[in-house]
Every structure is written in C-alpha cells, then in structure tokens.
Amino acid sequence: MAITDGMSAADMQSRLAALQAAYFDLSSGSKIVTATYNQGDGAKSVTYQQSDLAQIMRSIQMLQKALGIIPSFHRARRILF
C-alpha cells in the first residue's frame, strides 16, 4: 500500500508542483521555504529547511512514479544455473 493510494491525479500533480518549487527554492540558497497546495478539504501548508532536500527529492520521486512520469525499476534478477 502506497501513501498515494486513493489520491487523485490532480492532487498528486499539485503536490508535485509544490514540492518541486520548494526543492528549487531551497537548493538556490533560501533557508526556509513554505509550500502551499489545495486539497479537497482546504489549503495545506508545509515548511521545509535546507536539511530537508533529500526528503523532498524522495517525495518528488515517489509522486513521479505514482503519476507514471518516471518508471519504477525493480532490481535485476540473477539467473543461476
């Protein structure tokens, strides 16, 4: 079960855009960035600091995989004879 199960594509897209904006703002030298997005039950806001770049990147990749933007690869299987 993935955290994105049950989310609409539009909601995932808006979260992805907010996370990408936060990532670029943080990586350009800003110390704190707030990402705001709309959800069915109202607006949500998350604040990130410079140390959160790796977590933001993992969240971006998770959403991209869920949206089919990047394929999710499985580890190569070794064939034994």
Side-chain angles (χ1 to χ4, degrees):
M1 180 175 226
I3 195 166
T4 54
D5 289 352
M7 290 176 64
S8 70
D11 190 32
M12 285 191 280
Q13 286 283 359
S14 68
R15 288 175 191 244
L16 177 59
L19 284 168
Q20 288 172 324
Y23 183 87
F24 286 118
D25 289 344
L26 282 173
S27 65
S28 68
S30 300
K31 295 199 186 259
I32 296 176
V33 171
T34 300
T36 304
Y37 54 89
N38 289 321
Q39 191 172 322
D41 60 349
K44 301 291 180 184
S45 177
V46 180
T47 301
Y48 297 101
Q49 296 181 8
Q50 191 90 25
S51 61
D52 296 325
L53 280 175
Q55 176 59 39
I56 293 172
M57 181 54 75
R58 285 190 296 274
S59 297
I60 288 170
Q61 290 172 341
M62 176 199 57
L63 285 170
Q64 288 174 330
K65 286 177 185 174
L67 289 166
I69 296 171
I70 58 173
S72 57
F73 294 103
H74 298 285
R75 199 174 120 209
R77 297 179 190 238
R78 181 188 276 176
I79 298 174
L80 301 174
F81 294 96

